[in-house]
């Protein structure tokens, strides 16, 4: 059996995972003018799968090393697995929303794609915007070959989806950092994972359980 890693080693793994997840939110990706309405989500969509792969690879390492089942090791594995599961779910949700937005915009390869499929949003009123804003909106919409109202509708959906994904990443990152802090305090050794009370579980596990209870 492999010698158990130190608390500092385990904490470092969680910190590295937190930094990787945080990096998804700020990731940038080049966006052609014809797809500018997707700019808010292209960075996370491009970076997300790589981070999921990295976390999955590291988790596999943790599991295959056959470390002694100390409270600190089990605590780390539980935190890491929760982060990976939460991130994977959030990325899948983002991908689904973006797919719907692409369909709404009539992009090739989507269910409603085709000539003339991109129709204006009912009730859209350009007069609600200033002259300068109207000109900017029309210019962007023309480059994307979309009606102005539909352009704003899809762009707004992308912004909302990006914000929701960023919120999930922030929660994951905060949880990983908090769990790393507990490891560095070496308070985990004194807390049996099978014990009673929320203090026996990593922050991310408690957060996921709370979300499940709210959903019910």
């Amino acid at each position: 059996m492999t010698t158990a890693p130190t608390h500092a080693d385990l904490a470092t793994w969680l910190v590295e995972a937190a930094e990787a997840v945080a990096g998804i939110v700020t990731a940038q990706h080049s966006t052609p003018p014809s797809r500018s309405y997707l700019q808010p989500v292209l960075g996370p969509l491009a970076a997300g799968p790589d981070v999921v792969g990295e976390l999955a690879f590291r988790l596999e390492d943790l599991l295959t090393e056959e470390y002694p089942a100390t409270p600190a090791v089990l605590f780390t594995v539980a935190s890491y697995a929760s982060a990976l599961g939460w991130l994977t779910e959030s990325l899948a949700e983002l991908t689904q929303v973006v797919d719907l937005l692409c369909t709404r915009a009539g992009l090739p390869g989507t269910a409603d794609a085709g000539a003339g499929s991109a129709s204006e949003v009912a009730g859209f009123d350009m007069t609600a915007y200033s002259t300068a804003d109207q000109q900017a909106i029309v210019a962007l919409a023309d480059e994307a070959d979309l009606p102005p109202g539909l352009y704003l509708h899809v762009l707004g959906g992308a912004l909302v989806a990006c914000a929701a994904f960023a919120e999930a990443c922030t929660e994951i990152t905060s949880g990983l950092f908090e769990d790393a802090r507990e490891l560095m305090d070496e308070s985990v050794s004194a807390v049996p994972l099978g014990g009673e009370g929320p203090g026996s579980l990593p922050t991310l596990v408690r957060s996921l359980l709370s979300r499940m209870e709210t959903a019910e």
Side-chain angles (χ1 to χ4, degrees), residues 102-120 145-147 150:
C102 289
T103 297
R104 184 70 179 90
L107 290 185
T110 57
D112 297 336
S117 61
S119 58
E120 182 60 290
D145 196 25
L146 292 177
L150 179 58

Side-chain angles (χ1 to χ4, degrees), residues 24-25 37-45 89-102 152-170:
I24 301 175
V25 178
Y37 48 84
L38 294 178
Q39 192 277 331
V41 294
L42 290 185
L45 281 178
E89 177 188 0
S90 298
L91 185 60
E93 291 173 352
L94 176 64
T95 302
Q96 290 172 359
V97 171
V98 172
D99 184 62
L100 291 174
L101 293 174
C102 289
L152 290 178
H153 172 76
V154 179
L155 175 61
L159 287 168
V160 171
C162 184
F165 181 72
E167 182 179 357
C169 287
T170 298

Side-chain angles (χ1 to χ4, degrees), residues 122-192:
F124 174 71
D125 183 10
M126 279 286 284
T127 62
Y129 299 88
S130 68
T131 301
D133 286 343
Q134 289 182 34
Q135 293 174 347
I137 292 168
V138 169
L140 290 169
D142 284 347
E143 287 183 320
D145 196 25
L146 292 177
L150 179 58
Y151 179 90
L152 290 178
H153 172 76
V154 179
L155 175 61
L159 287 168
V160 171
C162 184
F165 181 72
E167 182 179 357
C169 287
T170 298
E171 291 189 60
I172 295 169
T173 299
S174 297
L176 285 167
F177 277 133
E178 176 60 24
D179 290 341
R181 184 194 63 76
E182 291 191 34
L183 283 167
M184 289 303 294
D185 289 345
E186 299 199 0
S187 58
V188 174
S189 294
V191 181

Side-chain angles (χ1 to χ4, degrees), residues 44-122:
L45 281 178
D50 287 340
V51 175
V52 168
E54 291 171 6
L55 295 188
F57 183 78
R58 177 54 65 88
L59 179 60
E60 184 177 355
D61 276 352
L62 279 171
L63 296 175
T64 56
E65 283 293 338
E66 297 184 356
Y67 292 123
T70 64
V73 169
L74 294 176
F75 182 93
T76 302
V77 170
S79 179
Y80 218 98
S82 298
L84 176 59
W86 193 341
L87 177 61
T88 301
E89 177 188 0
S90 298
L91 185 60
E93 291 173 352
L94 176 64
T95 302
Q96 290 172 359
V97 171
V98 172
D99 184 62
L100 291 174
L101 293 174
C102 289
T103 297
R104 184 70 179 90
L107 290 185
T110 57
D112 297 336
S117 61
S119 58
E120 182 60 290
V121 175

